[in-house]
Amino acid sequence: MHGYVFPNAAEPFAVPPLSRKMFWIWTWMKYTGKLNNMAQSVLPKYFSDAEARSLQTGYSNGEVVSAMLRIKRVIDSGNVPINIAVLGDGGAGKSTFINTMRGVRSGDQGAAPVGGYEASVNPVGYPYPSLPNVQLWDLPGSNSLGFEMSRYLKQVQFESYDFYIIVSQSRFRESDGELSKKIQQQGKGFYYIRSKIDNDAFSMQMQNTDFGEGQRQIRQDCLNNFHRVSVEPPPIFLISGLEVTGYDFPNLQSALASDLQKIKSTAFRLAIPRMMQEIQRPRRQMLMWCIALWAFLSGALGVLRLPALPLLTATLCTVSGWMYLRRQLGVSERELGTLSGAVAKPVSLLKADMDRPSPRKLQQLVPKALLLVVIVAFTVVGFTDTFPPVLLIVCGAVSSLAFTLLVLMCSLDDRLRSVQNLAGALFDETVVTVYRSVGHRTA
């Protein structure tokens, strides 16, 4: 069948009907949410819209283990689509390459249109019959939309793909270097193809140049260019889209088949934390409103001009908020026991996975924030006769609010991250199991 257009990322949530005085709170939540659709969604790849909403609702209702086990069942099934982007400048031979890989001609029904023009400004996917659940995506030429690179990457939803094949002709281009750097930054893999190598072979023949030596020079030039742009060189294939049995085309097909397990493993490893973040998003947004209320309560009590009272009330509000977050986001012993039975992993190891080293900001922030509040408090007390009463009230309110807000926000992120760590550890085991079974079936 013919390809289809890659689904768009989820739309940003609507502005709630807030008063003018509360609008800045919504703005704060939007830009501190980290996940407010700044990155492209990965849930639609694995779940329908209804299933994704069900996962988010279940997680918000405390069904943490249920969400993890549902994701585990999807990955265990092995029936997960793998999206491979074929990209490069317009006219490089991307569509011809896709048609040749699929065993169709340009005039056949469902073939990718060829001829040096871009038929669509959106990526179009085509099934690859040789490998089940693999889609080859024909991306518009990186030089054909008239966009700068950052806008082009957004237009084609660059981060949505699991693997990349850069197609280039004649020479290594600046866009090849930019694209390869973006791929490397994601931690994903790619192949580099020098297309239309038959033209190079003809040119070498006319110049009485040994083709084997010419191939070696082309590969070395590619390697040098990747080193020049500080990119680890990928596998390099010299092919002609018109000769499926010639040059490196058979090697390319064989390499893709043998690398598929690694591609899937990388895709799962990168997708699972993002899936958990998207499932956690509604819960996170609701809890951030709670944090805002705790912070405003702390700030309101901070206006009281009694010795040490602002510091005491800020600490009390912060501890109360921290205990509330712990109750809301903690994973109980019973839930850990359920997970332990599902993945045959001891509870002690699951706990260690939750607490494994990660960029935890809370432990570093609390002493600094507390020290800042103390310094402000003592400074204000020392200049009580100099500062007007209104300024003293403002200092007390702001310092209390800031302390509670920062500590609880970091606590929230730490709690959510521990669940993501747990999910990642579960699926590390799942990926190994899946690929052993896949390797057995394909052997």
Side-chain angles (χ1 to χ4, degrees):
M1 66 177 183
H2 196 274
Y4 52 93
V5 177
F6 206 88
N8 291 325
E11 295 296 326
F13 62 91
V15 180
L18 300 175
S19 66
R20 182 179 295 271
K21 292 182 180 179
M22 294 293 289
F23 180 77
W24 74 272
I25 305 176
W26 172 82
T27 303
W28 162 71
M29 286 189 61
K30 175 174 174 134
Y31 289 102
T32 56
K34 296 185 180 179
L35 288 176
N36 288 334
N37 304 312
M38 298 296 288
Q40 294 155 359
S41 178
V42 297
L43 276 180
K45 176 179 174 181
Y46 300 90
F47 301 96
S48 66
D49 289 343
E51 289 172 332
R53 287 193 295 269
S54 174
L55 282 168
Q56 291 176 328
T57 301
Y59 187 91
S60 296
N61 293 333
E63 300 173 6
V64 179
V65 172
S66 175
M68 292 184 185
L69 294 181
R70 287 180 65 181
I71 297 174
K72 183 179 184 299
R73 284 194 293 270
V74 171
I75 294 180
D76 280 342
S77 70
N79 190 29
V80 177
I82 295 297
N83 297 306
I84 299 178
V86 180
L87 64 168
D89 283 356
K94 302 186 301 296
S95 300
T96 300
F97 166 74
I98 289 176
N99 289 336
T100 305
M101 287 285 286
R102 299 176 61 227
V104 300
R105 298 181 179 181
S106 58
D108 294 345
Q109 183 178 5
V114 299
Y117 66 93
E118 301 294 340
S120 173
V121 297
N122 294 312
V124 181
Y126 301 90
Y128 181 39
S130 299
L131 297 175
N133 300 319
V134 172
Q135 290 273 333
L136 299 175
W137 289 86
D138 190 1
L139 271 60
S142 54
N143 62 340
S144 61
L145 300 182
F147 298 160
E148 61 180 8
M149 183 58 71
S150 59
R151 187 179 174 190
Y152 168 80
L153 298 178
K154 183 177 180 181
Q155 172 70 24
V156 301
Q157 300 196 22
F158 186 74
E159 296 182 2
S160 301
Y161 306 97
D162 304 308
F163 193 75
Y164 302 84
I165 298 177
I166 299 178
V167 181
S168 184
Q169 64 165 325
S170 303
R171 59 184 177 83
F172 190 95
R173 302 173 186 276
E174 181 181 355
S175 59
D176 298 340
E178 292 185 67
L179 292 171
S180 60
K181 289 174 72 173
K182 294 295 183 181
I183 295 170
Q184 182 174 268
Q185 289 170 6
Q186 294 183 72
K188 299 177 182 178
F190 69 105
Y191 292 158
Y192 185 74
I193 290 178
R194 272 291 299 269
S195 64
K196 305 182 182 181
I197 196 64
D198 50 330
N199 293 340
D200 295 281
F202 178 76
S203 176
M204 293 176 195
Q205 182 181 6
M206 296 298 294
Q207 299 175 26
N208 293 322
T209 302
D210 179 68
F211 182 61
E213 177 62 22
Q215 284 183 304
R216 190 196 67 78
Q217 292 179 0
I218 291 174
R219 295 181 193 278
Q220 188 59 49
D221 177 70
C222 294
L223 292 173
N224 292 339
N225 279 290
F226 279 116
H227 288 305
R228 178 177 56 83
V229 296
S230 301
V231 171
E232 182 69 23
I236 298 170
F237 301 94
L238 313 182
I239 70 166
S240 168
L242 303 177
E243 299 186 37
V244 68
T245 59
Y247 305 107
D248 288 340
F249 217 113
N251 295 336
L252 169 62
Q253 292 174 312
S254 175
L256 185 58
S258 62
D259 287 344
L260 183 61
Q261 296 181 16
K262 182 178 179 181
I263 293 171
K264 286 186 176 181
S265 179
T266 301
F268 290 152
R269 177 176 55 81
L270 296 175
I272 287 167
R274 289 181 58 185
M275 273 196 286
M276 286 306 302
Q277 287 172 351
E278 291 178 34
I279 291 171
Q280 292 171 334
R281 180 189 301 157
R283 181 78 162 171
R284 186 181 194 277
Q285 291 173 351
M286 184 274 291
L287 291 174
M288 286 191 69
W289 280 106
C290 297
I291 289 175
L293 293 177
W294 283 109
F296 275 105
L297 176 61
S298 177
L301 295 175
V303 304
L304 301 177
R305 295 182 58 194
L306 295 176
L309 187 59
L311 179 60
L312 179 62
T313 55
T315 303
L316 181 62
C317 288
T318 302
V319 171
S320 300
W322 179 83
M323 293 176 65
Y324 175 77
L325 292 177
R326 182 177 181 180
R327 288 195 303 271
Q328 292 295 313
L329 297 175
V331 181
S332 67
E333 290 287 337
R334 179 180 59 82
E335 291 173 320
L336 286 174
T338 302
L339 282 177
S340 176
V343 299
K345 194 172 185 178
V347 172
S348 59
L349 292 182
L350 294 179
K351 290 182 178 180
D353 291 330
M354 292 182 66
D355 296 331
R356 72 174 183 261
S358 61
R360 304 175 70 89
K361 298 182 291 184
L362 181 61
Q363 298 172 354
Q364 303 173 4
L365 179 65
V366 171
K368 295 179 181 178
L370 188 60
L371 179 61
L372 175 63
V373 171
V374 171
I375 292 175
V376 171
F378 277 100
T379 301
V380 170
V381 170
F383 291 92
T384 301
D385 298 333
T386 305
F387 290 164
V390 173
L391 185 58
L392 296 176
I393 292 174
V394 170
C395 287
V398 170
S399 60
S400 298
L401 183 149
F403 175 78
T404 301
L405 182 64
L406 293 176
V407 172
L408 293 185
M409 282 179 61
C410 288
S411 177
L412 173 62
D413 285 341
D414 273 1
R415 291 289 174 186
L416 294 176
R417 192 178 296 111
S418 66
V419 176
Q420 295 164 20
N421 289 344
L422 178 59
L426 292 180
F427 298 115
D428 283 346
E429 302 296 326
T430 300
V431 165
V432 172
T433 303
V434 168
Y435 291 114
R436 284 175 179 165
S437 63
V438 171
H440 176 74
R441 291 196 301 268
T442 58

